[in-house]
Structures are given as structure tokens and as C-alpha cells.
Amino acid sequence: MKAVQVRTFGGPEVLAVVDLPDPAPGAGQVLIATEGIGVGGVDVLRRNGTLAAFGETAGHVLGSEIAGRVTGVGDGVDTAWVGRRVWALTDGTGGYAEQAVVAETALVPLPEGLSAVDAVTLGSSGMVAHFALRHAHFAAGESVLVRGAAGGIGVMAVQLAVLGGASAVAVTTSSAERGDRLRKLGATHVLDRAGSGDGDAPAGYDIIVDIVAGAHLSSFFTKLLPNGRMVVVGAMAGFPPPDFAMPMIAAFRKSLSFITFSADTVPAPDQRAGTAEVFAAASRGELEAVVHEVLPLEEAVQAHQKMESAEVFGRIALTTSS
């Protein structure tokens, strides 16, 4: 089968299309013929070595999110899965391939009419946004600011905040065109990357969902209302400086909270249930799968080049000939 390996840490050019033996499912596993493969920010961080400090190594097949059809099962797995269309998270690797092996416990059946591309566009991004808002104790009537809203998690956070009854949903983004697209998804206020540019925007927010982090994270503490919560779900601009929390400490009397969130802390059954909720909402027309572009697996390098151009709105998906 064809697969895409990370030869060494670096730019998109370190990705290589290789031929590997077809995998076989072991006990408790299923084999999936992939039809849609998600390309996300975490893939970029795994490829460029940002996550090396957490044990990531080069030489593996990239890819953590897939959708397709079950073609085989290992010992102890219900054979009724064979032939079913499913979505799944891998263990962090192995998804950029024509076939992938995942645990049976990772499977979420796809609703009728939901494409594999839409599934990998909605799946992990929607699940992370769903639980990030829950982690921040979001409630109807509260105001939300999504920092870095044009990416996969951002567009889902916007839509889920709207669906959850937010009083206002502001976004930071890099262009008027992106701002217009985010308004169509429900954003009520569009700000520039510094969090300015809309005189009608709220003076503060109950919740900030931050996918960016980086050197300017600390400046957004001033945009939190008393008892406000900032939840960081990504670090696309890198890690913040060591003293990033000083503005929060300086505003001690506002009782602000800083929270990090990783889906790794969500039990697998809850992950699956949250993803199924997102798929069901999309099937009802309540959420939109925002697909920037669909490329063949062999063009993974181009997909990552586009990711690094900061021009992607929503998500890129790879497809196979399966």
C-alpha cells in the first residue's frame, strides 16, 4: 500500500510517499480502507519536530484521523463491522495511508449521507472544540472569543458556541474575506489578530478559546471579563514566554482562569460520544463541514505547504483511490 512517512523532522519536503506491506489487524483491532484522511495542525507539529520534546520520533507514517470502510477484523472483534463506513482516530500515527489499523474501541459509525471527507473535517476538530467549551464550563448566554478562528478547530468552536446559545461570538482572523466567511458561520464580531478592529465588539468575554498561543497570548488576558476563562487547545504560533501569566496575576481581583485542554484527557467512550454528537448535528444541518481543499494522498507535501501558508480556511483532507 502507499503511505506517507516523516523521514526526519523539518518542512513539508521531509514527507515521502512510500510503499509498505499491507497491515493486518491484531486482536481487538480492525482494518480500514481509508477514503478520507484529515490534515490538521497536530500533523504539522508532529512533522516539524515541535512535539519531539514529548517523545515524538521521525520515521513514522503521519496521520491521526481517518474515515473509510472496515475491510477486516482481528480476534475478538465483531465481524458485523466488516463493510461498515466508520470514522476513527489512530494512536497518533498511521493515518496517511491507503489502509490503517485501529482499535475497535476507536470506531464511530458514519451517519448515512455523511461523506468520508466531511467526517474527517468535522471529527477531531469538532470533538476538540466540543470538549474545550465544556472544559471552560461554557453556558448559554455567555460571550466567546475564538482566537485563530479560521482553522479546523476554530470554525467548529464558532459554530458550536453559536449552537450552544452564546450571546456573542467574536473571532480573530487575518483578513476581511475570512471574517466574512466566519460571519456566515455565525460569528457576530470580527477582530484582527491583535483582537482589535471592531468598535461594536464586547469589551470583554466570558470565554476565550485559543488555538494560537505564541508570544502574544498574554495580551488576551485583558479581554476576559471577571471570572473569565481562557482555554488553550493549540500552539500554532509556538509556546508562550515563561512569564505569560503575569497579566492574569496582575488582574488578581478578576478571578481569571487559564486552562489547557487536550483531548487525550477525555475517556475514549466520551470522545466517541462527542464525535457522534457532532456528526448527528451535521446530519441535521446544524453544523457545516468547512473543507478548504481535497487532495490525493500522494500530494501530502502540497497539503502541508498549504497549511504553512496560513491561507487554509477550515480543513484540508487527503483521499485515496480505495
Side-chain angles (χ1 to χ4, degrees):
M1 69 170 186
K2 292 192 182 308
V4 177
Q5 282 185 330
V6 180
R7 292 175 296 184
T8 185
F9 294 133
E13 70 282 353
V14 305
L15 299 177
V17 179
V18 297
D19 288 312
L20 296 177
D22 292 347
Q29 295 179 324
V30 305
L31 179 66
I32 297 174
T34 58
E35 298 170 4
I37 301 162
V39 178
V42 69
D43 295 336
V44 174
L45 299 178
R46 285 192 165 110
R47 188 213 71 225
N48 65 21
T50 298
L51 298 184
F54 300 94
E56 291 283 341
T57 58
H60 63 271
V61 173
L62 203 60
S64 59
E65 180 173 12
I66 59 173
R69 196 173 297 276
V70 176
T71 57
V73 300
D75 290 344
V77 178
D78 188 347
T79 57
W81 281 112
V82 176
R84 296 187 69 180
R85 299 174 62 250
V86 297
W87 170 94
L89 291 177
T90 70
D91 62 0
T93 61
Y96 283 24
E98 292 177 322
Q99 300 181 75
V101 169
V102 301
E104 179 188 17
T105 54
L107 301 179
V108 176
L110 294 189
E112 191 69 31
L114 187 71
S115 73
V117 166
D118 283 353
V120 297
T121 300
L122 293 161
S124 65
S125 292
M127 184 263 289
V128 169
H130 168 84
F131 284 108
L133 288 167
R134 182 179 294 185
H135 204 57
H137 300 287
F138 166 64
E142 291 191 310
S143 55
V144 178
L145 168 62
V146 182
R147 182 175 178 232
I153 296 173
V155 297
M156 294 306 300
V158 168
Q159 294 185 80
L160 288 168
V162 172
L163 190 61
S167 60
V169 180
V171 296
T172 70
T173 190
S174 59
S175 71
E177 185 270 337
R178 288 183 168 206
D180 289 342
R181 296 185 68 180
L182 287 162
R183 285 187 186 277
K184 291 177 181 177
L185 293 173
T188 55
H189 302 281
V190 176
L191 311 176
D192 61 23
R193 285 179 171 175
S196 304
D198 185 338
D200 296 325
Y205 302 90
D206 296 296
I207 294 172
I208 296 176
V209 178
D210 191 328
I211 303 106
V212 181
H216 302 294
L217 179 149
S218 60
S219 66
F220 282 81
F221 284 122
T222 62
K223 300 186 183 302
L224 284 172
L225 293 171
N227 298 306
R229 293 87 74 195
M230 179 188 292
V231 55
V232 175
V233 298
M236 294 309 296
F239 297 123
D243 62 350
F244 77 93
M246 290 306 297
M248 184 175 70
I249 300 300
F252 194 88
R253 296 179 66 186
K254 292 176 70 176
S255 298
L256 304 180
S257 297
F258 175 81
I259 315 162
T260 59
F261 173 73
S262 167
D264 290 343
T265 61
V266 178
D270 293 341
Q271 286 190 15
R272 295 195 302 274
T275 304
E277 282 186 41
V278 168
F279 289 164
S283 296
R284 293 190 299 266
E286 297 170 353
L287 296 173
E288 178 182 340
V290 181
V291 181
H292 179 83
E293 190 172 0
V294 180
L295 296 169
L297 175 65
E298 293 82 358
E299 294 184 18
V301 169
Q302 291 90 322
H304 277 240
Q305 288 171 339
K306 291 174 184 289
M307 288 285 292
E308 299 211 328
S309 72
E311 296 178 0
V312 174
F313 186 88
R315 292 200 72 178
I316 292 176
L318 301 174
T319 57
T320 68
S321 56
S322 299

Coordinates of all heavy atoms in Angstrom, one line a residue, residues 143-217:
S143 N -20.5 35.0 26.5 CA -19.8 35.5 25.3 C -18.5 34.8 25.1 O -17.8 34.4 26.1 CB -19.5 37.0 25.4 OG -18.7 37.3 26.6
V144 N -18.1 34.5 23.8 CA -17.0 33.7 23.5 C -16.1 34.4 22.4 O -16.7 35.0 21.5 CB -17.4 32.4 22.9 CG1 -16.2 31.5 22.5 CG2 -18.3 31.6 23.9
L145 N -14.8 34.4 22.6 CA -13.9 34.9 21.6 C -13.0 33.7 21.2 O -12.5 33.0 22.0 CB -13.0 36.0 22.2 CG -11.7 36.4 21.4 CD1 -12.1 37.0 20.0 CD2 -10.8 37.3 22.1
V146 N -13.0 33.4 19.9 CA -12.2 32.4 19.3 C -11.0 33.0 18.7 O -11.1 33.7 17.7 CB -13.0 31.5 18.3 CG1 -12.1 30.4 17.8 CG2 -14.2 30.9 19.0
R147 N -9.8 32.7 19.2 CA -8.5 33.3 18.7 C -7.9 32.3 17.7 O -7.6 31.2 18.1 CB -7.6 33.5 19.8 CG -6.3 34.2 19.4 CD -5.4 34.6 20.5 NE -4.1 35.1 20.0 CZ -2.9 34.7 20.4 NH1 -2.8 33.7 21.3 NH2 -1.8 35.2 19.8
G148 N -7.8 32.7 16.4 CA -7.3 31.8 15.4 C -8.5 31.0 14.9 O -8.4 29.8 14.8
A149 N -9.6 31.7 14.5 CA -10.8 31.0 14.2 C -10.9 30.4 12.8 O -11.9 29.7 12.6 CB -12.0 32.0 14.4
A150 N -10.0 30.6 11.9 CA -10.2 30.1 10.6 C -9.7 28.7 10.4 O -10.0 28.1 9.3 CB -9.4 31.0 9.6
G151 N -9.1 28.1 11.3 CA -8.6 26.7 11.2 C -9.7 25.7 11.6 O -10.9 26.1 11.9
G152 N -9.4 24.5 11.5 CA -10.4 23.4 11.7 C -11.1 23.5 13.1 O -12.3 23.5 13.2
I153 N -10.3 23.6 14.1 CA -10.9 23.7 15.5 C -11.6 25.0 15.6 O -12.7 25.1 16.2 CB -9.8 23.5 16.6 CG1 -9.2 22.2 16.5 CG2 -10.4 23.8 18.0 CD1 -8.0 22.0 17.4
G154 N -11.1 26.1 15.1 CA -11.7 27.4 15.2 C -13.1 27.5 14.6 O -14.0 28.0 15.3
V155 N -13.2 27.0 13.4 CA -14.5 27.1 12.7 C -15.5 26.2 13.5 O -16.7 26.6 13.5 CB -14.4 26.7 11.2 CG1 -13.6 27.7 10.5 CG2 -14.0 25.3 11.0
M156 N -15.1 25.1 14.1 CA -16.0 24.3 14.8 C -16.4 25.0 16.2 O -17.5 24.9 16.6 CB -15.5 22.9 15.0 CG -15.3 22.1 13.8 SD -16.8 22.0 12.8 CE -17.9 21.2 14.0
A157 N -15.4 25.6 16.8 CA -15.7 26.3 18.1 C -16.7 27.4 17.8 O -17.6 27.6 18.7 CB -14.4 26.9 18.7
V158 N -16.6 28.2 16.7 CA -17.5 29.2 16.4 C -18.9 28.6 16.3 O -19.9 29.1 16.9 CB -17.1 29.9 15.1 CG1 -18.2 30.8 14.6 CG2 -15.8 30.8 15.3
Q159 N -19.0 27.6 15.5 CA -20.3 27.0 15.2 C -21.0 26.4 16.5 O -22.2 26.5 16.7 CB -20.3 25.9 14.1 CG -19.9 26.5 12.7 CD -19.9 25.4 11.7 OE1 -21.0 25.0 11.2 NE2 -18.8 24.9 11.3
L160 N -20.2 25.7 17.3 CA -20.7 25.1 18.5 C -21.1 26.1 19.5 O -22.0 25.9 20.3 CB -19.7 24.1 19.0 CG -19.5 22.8 18.2 CD1 -18.3 22.1 18.7 CD2 -20.7 22.0 18.3
A161 N -20.3 27.3 19.6 CA -20.7 28.3 20.5 C -22.0 28.9 20.1 O -22.9 29.2 20.9 CB -19.6 29.4 20.6
V162 N -22.2 29.1 18.8 CA -23.5 29.7 18.3 C -24.6 28.7 18.6 O -25.7 29.1 19.1 CB -23.4 29.9 16.8 CG1 -24.8 30.3 16.2 CG2 -22.4 31.0 16.5
L163 N -24.4 27.4 18.3 CA -25.4 26.4 18.5 C -25.7 26.3 20.0 O -26.9 26.0 20.4 CB -24.9 25.0 18.0 CG -25.8 23.9 18.0 CD1 -27.0 24.2 17.0 CD2 -25.1 22.6 17.5
G164 N -24.7 26.6 20.9 CA -24.9 26.5 22.3 C -25.6 27.7 22.9 O -25.7 27.7 24.2
G165 N -25.9 28.7 22.1 CA -26.6 29.9 22.6 C -25.7 31.0 23.2 O -26.2 31.7 24.1
A166 N -24.5 31.1 22.6 CA -23.6 32.2 23.1 C -24.3 33.6 22.8 O -25.0 33.8 21.8 CB -22.3 32.1 22.4
S167 N -24.1 34.5 23.7 CA -24.6 35.9 23.5 C -23.9 36.6 22.4 O -24.5 37.5 21.7 CB -24.6 36.7 24.8 OG -23.3 36.8 25.3
A168 N -22.6 36.4 22.3 CA -21.8 37.0 21.2 C -20.6 36.0 20.9 O -20.2 35.3 21.8 CB -21.2 38.3 21.7
V169 N -20.3 35.9 19.7 CA -19.1 35.1 19.3 C -18.2 35.9 18.4 O -18.5 36.2 17.3 CB -19.6 33.8 18.5 CG1 -18.4 33.0 18.1 CG2 -20.6 33.0 19.3
A170 N -17.1 36.4 19.0 CA -16.1 37.1 18.3 C -15.0 36.2 17.8 O -14.7 35.2 18.4 CB -15.5 38.2 19.2
V171 N -14.3 36.6 16.8 CA -13.2 35.8 16.2 C -12.1 36.8 15.9 O -12.2 37.9 15.5 CB -13.7 35.1 14.9 CG1 -14.8 34.1 15.2 CG2 -14.2 36.1 13.8
T172 N -10.9 36.2 16.0 CA -9.7 36.9 15.4 C -9.3 36.1 14.1 O -9.3 34.9 14.1 CB -8.5 36.9 16.4 OG1 -7.9 35.6 16.5 CG2 -8.9 37.5 17.7
T173 N -8.9 36.9 13.1 CA -8.6 36.3 11.8 C -7.7 37.3 11.1 O -7.5 38.5 11.5 CB -9.8 35.9 11.0 OG1 -9.4 35.1 9.9 CG2 -10.6 37.1 10.6
S174 N -7.2 36.9 9.9 CA -6.1 37.7 9.3 C -6.6 38.5 8.1 O -5.8 39.2 7.5 CB -5.0 36.7 8.8 OG -5.6 35.7 7.9
S175 N -7.9 38.3 7.7 CA -8.3 39.1 6.5 C -9.8 39.3 6.6 O -10.6 38.6 7.2 CB -8.0 38.3 5.2 OG -8.8 37.1 5.1
A176 N -10.3 40.3 5.8 CA -11.7 40.6 5.8 C -12.5 39.5 5.1 O -13.6 39.2 5.5 CB -11.9 41.9 5.0
E177 N -11.8 38.8 4.1 CA -12.5 37.7 3.4 C -12.8 36.6 4.4 O -13.9 36.0 4.4 CB -11.7 37.3 2.2 CG -12.3 36.2 1.4 CD -12.0 34.8 1.8 OE1 -11.0 34.6 2.5 OE2 -12.8 33.9 1.5
R178 N -11.8 36.3 5.2 CA -12.0 35.2 6.2 C -13.1 35.6 7.2 O -13.9 34.8 7.7 CB -10.7 34.9 6.9 CG -9.7 34.1 6.0 CD -8.5 33.8 6.8 NE -7.7 32.8 6.1 CZ -6.9 32.0 6.6 NH1 -6.7 32.0 7.9 NH2 -6.2 31.1 5.9
G179 N -13.0 36.9 7.6 CA -14.0 37.4 8.5 C -15.4 37.3 8.0 O -16.3 36.9 8.7
D180 N -15.6 37.6 6.7 CA -16.9 37.4 6.1 C -17.4 35.9 6.1 O -18.6 35.7 6.4 CB -16.9 37.9 4.6 CG -16.8 39.4 4.5 OD1 -17.1 40.1 5.5 OD2 -16.4 39.9 3.4
R181 N -16.5 35.0 5.9 CA -16.8 33.6 5.9 C -17.2 33.2 7.3 O -18.1 32.4 7.5 CB -15.7 32.8 5.3 CG -15.4 33.0 3.9 CD -14.4 32.1 3.3 NE -14.9 30.7 3.2 CZ -14.1 29.7 2.8 NH1 -12.9 29.9 2.3 NH2 -14.6 28.5 2.7
L182 N -16.5 33.7 8.3 CA -16.8 33.4 9.7 C -18.1 33.9 10.1 O -18.8 33.3 10.9 CB -15.6 33.8 10.6 CG -14.4 33.0 10.5 CD1 -13.2 33.8 11.1 CD2 -14.5 31.6 11.2
R183 N -18.5 35.1 9.6 CA -19.8 35.7 9.9 C -20.9 34.8 9.4 O -21.9 34.6 10.0 CB -19.9 37.1 9.3 CG -19.2 38.2 10.1 CD -19.5 39.5 9.5 NE -18.7 40.6 10.1 CZ -18.9 41.2 11.2 NH1 -20.0 40.8 11.9 NH2 -18.2 42.1 11.7
K184 N -20.7 34.2 8.2 CA -21.7 33.3 7.7 C -21.8 32.0 8.5 O -22.9 31.3 8.4 CB -21.3 32.9 6.2 CG -21.4 34.1 5.3 CD -20.9 33.7 3.9 CE -21.0 34.9 2.9 NZ -20.5 34.6 1.6
L185 N -20.8 31.7 9.3 CA -20.9 30.5 10.2 C -21.4 30.9 11.6 O -21.6 30.1 12.4 CB -19.5 29.9 10.4 CG -18.8 29.3 9.2 CD1 -17.4 28.9 9.4 CD2 -19.7 28.1 8.7
G186 N -21.7 32.2 11.7 CA -22.4 32.7 13.0 C -21.6 33.6 13.8 O -22.1 34.1 14.8
A187 N -20.4 34.0 13.5 CA -19.6 35.0 14.2 C -20.3 36.3 14.2 O -20.8 36.7 13.2 CB -18.2 35.1 13.7
T188 N -20.4 37.0 15.4 CA -21.0 38.3 15.4 C -20.1 39.4 15.4 O -20.5 40.6 15.1 CB -21.8 38.3 16.8 OG1 -20.9 38.1 17.9 CG2 -23.0 37.3 16.8
H189 N -18.8 39.2 15.6 CA -17.8 40.3 15.6 C -16.5 39.7 15.0 O -16.1 38.6 15.4 CB -17.6 40.8 17.0 CG -18.8 41.3 17.7 ND1 -19.3 42.6 17.4 CD2 -19.6 40.8 18.6 CE1 -20.4 42.8 18.1 NE2 -20.6 41.7 18.8
V190 N -15.9 40.5 14.2 CA -14.6 40.1 13.5 C -13.5 41.0 14.0 O -13.6 42.2 13.7 CB -14.7 40.0 12.0 CG1 -13.4 39.7 11.4 CG2 -15.8 39.0 11.6
L191 N -12.4 40.5 14.5 CA -11.3 41.2 15.0 C -10.0 40.9 14.3 O -10.0 39.8 13.6 CB -11.1 40.9 16.5 CG -12.3 41.0 17.4 CD1 -11.9 40.6 18.9 CD2 -12.9 42.4 17.4
D192 N -9.0 41.7 14.3 CA -7.8 41.4 13.7 C -7.0 40.5 14.7 O -7.5 40.1 15.7 CB -7.0 42.7 13.4 CG -6.7 43.5 14.6 OD1 -6.6 43.0 15.7 OD2 -6.4 44.7 14.4
R193 N -5.8 40.1 14.3 CA -5.0 39.2 15.1 C -4.7 39.7 16.5 O -4.5 38.9 17.4 CB -3.7 38.8 14.3 CG -4.0 37.9 13.1 CD -2.7 37.6 12.4 NE -2.8 36.5 11.4 CZ -1.9 36.1 10.6 NH1 -0.7 36.7 10.6 NH2 -2.1 35.2 9.7
A194 N -4.7 41.0 16.6 CA -4.4 41.5 17.9 C -5.6 41.6 18.8 O -5.5 42.0 20.0 CB -3.7 42.9 17.8
G195 N -6.8 41.3 18.2 CA -8.0 41.4 19.0 C -8.7 42.7 18.9 O -9.5 43.0 19.8
S196 N -8.4 43.5 17.9 CA -8.9 44.9 17.8 C -9.7 44.9 16.4 O -9.7 44.0 15.7 CB -7.9 45.9 17.8 OG -7.1 45.8 19.1
G197 N -10.2 46.1 16.1 CA -10.7 46.4 14.8 C -12.2 46.3 14.6 O -12.7 46.5 13.5
D198 N -13.0 46.1 15.7 CA -14.4 46.1 15.6 C -14.9 46.9 16.8 O -14.9 46.5 18.0 CB -15.0 44.7 15.7 CG -16.5 44.7 15.5 OD1 -17.2 45.7 15.8 OD2 -17.0 43.6 15.1
G199 N -15.3 48.2 16.6 CA -15.7 49.1 17.6 C -17.0 48.6 18.3 O -17.3 49.1 19.5
D200 N -17.8 47.8 17.7 CA -19.0 47.3 18.3 C -18.8 46.0 19.1 O -19.8 45.5 19.7 CB -20.1 47.0 17.3 CG -20.5 48.3 16.6 OD1 -20.5 49.4 17.2 OD2 -20.7 48.3 15.3
A201 N -17.6 45.5 19.1 CA -17.3 44.2 19.8 C -17.4 44.4 21.3 O -17.2 45.5 21.9 CB -16.0 43.7 19.5
P202 N -17.8 43.3 22.1 CA -17.8 43.5 23.5 C -16.5 43.9 24.1 O -15.4 43.6 23.5 CB -18.2 42.0 24.0 CG -18.9 41.4 22.8 CD -18.2 42.0 21.6
A203 N -16.5 44.5 25.2 CA -15.3 45.0 25.9 C -14.5 43.8 26.5 O -13.3 43.9 26.8 CB -15.6 46.0 26.9
G204 N -15.3 42.7 26.8 CA -14.6 41.6 27.4 C -15.5 40.3 27.1 O -16.6 40.4 26.6
Y205 N -14.9 39.2 27.4 CA -15.6 37.9 27.1 C -15.5 36.9 28.3 O -14.6 37.0 29.1 CB -14.9 37.2 25.9 CG -14.9 38.1 24.7 CD1 -13.8 39.0 24.5 CD2 -15.9 38.1 23.8 CE1 -13.9 39.9 23.4 CE2 -16.0 39.0 22.7 CZ -14.9 39.9 22.5 OH -14.9 40.7 21.4
D206 N -16.5 36.1 28.4 CA -16.5 35.1 29.4 C -15.5 34.0 29.1 O -14.9 33.5 30.1 CB -17.9 34.5 29.5 CG -19.0 35.5 30.0 OD1 -18.9 36.0 31.1 OD2 -19.9 35.8 29.2
I207 N -15.4 33.6 27.9 CA -14.5 32.5 27.5 C -13.7 33.0 26.2 O -14.2 33.6 25.3 CB -15.3 31.3 27.1 CG1 -16.0 30.7 28.4 CG2 -14.4 30.2 26.5 CD1 -17.0 29.6 28.1
I208 N -12.4 32.6 26.3 CA -11.6 32.7 25.1 C -11.1 31.3 24.7 O -10.5 30.7 25.6 CB -10.4 33.7 25.3 CG1 -10.8 35.1 25.5 CG2 -9.4 33.6 24.1 CD1 -9.7 36.1 25.9
V209 N -11.3 30.9 23.5 CA -10.8 29.6 23.0 C -9.6 30.0 22.2 O -9.8 30.7 21.1 CB -11.8 28.8 22.2 CG1 -11.2 27.6 21.7 CG2 -13.1 28.5 23.1
D210 N -8.4 29.5 22.5 CA -7.2 30.0 21.9 C -6.5 28.8 21.2 O -6.2 27.8 21.9 CB -6.2 30.6 22.9 CG -5.1 31.3 22.3 OD1 -4.6 30.8 21.2 OD2 -4.6 32.3 22.8
I211 N -6.4 28.8 19.9 CA -5.7 27.8 19.1 C -4.3 28.2 18.8 O -3.5 27.4 18.2 CB -6.5 27.4 17.9 CG1 -8.0 27.0 18.2 CG2 -5.9 26.3 17.1 CD1 -9.0 28.0 17.9
V212 N -4.0 29.5 19.0 CA -2.7 30.1 18.5 C -1.6 30.0 19.5 O -0.5 29.6 19.2 CB -3.0 31.5 18.1 CG1 -1.7 32.2 17.6 CG2 -4.1 31.6 17.1
A213 N -1.8 30.4 20.8 CA -0.8 30.6 21.8 C 0.3 31.5 21.4 O -0.1 32.6 20.9 CB -0.3 29.2 22.2
G214 N 1.6 31.2 21.5 CA 2.6 32.1 21.0 C 2.9 33.3 21.9 O 2.4 33.4 23.0
A215 N 3.7 34.2 21.3 CA 4.2 35.3 22.1 C 3.2 36.3 22.6 O 3.4 37.0 23.6 CB 5.3 36.0 21.3
H216 N 2.1 36.3 21.9 CA 1.1 37.4 22.2 C -0.1 36.8 23.0 O -1.1 37.6 23.2 CB 0.5 38.0 20.9 CG 1.6 38.6 20.0 ND1 2.3 39.7 20.4 CD2 2.2 38.2 18.8 CE1 3.2 40.0 19.5 NE2 3.2 39.1 18.5
L217 N 0.0 35.6 23.5 CA -1.1 35.0 24.2 C -1.5 35.9 25.4 O -2.7 36.2 25.7 CB -0.8 33.6 24.7 CG -1.8 32.9 25.6 CD1 -1.7 31.4 25.3 CD2 -1.6 33.2 27.0

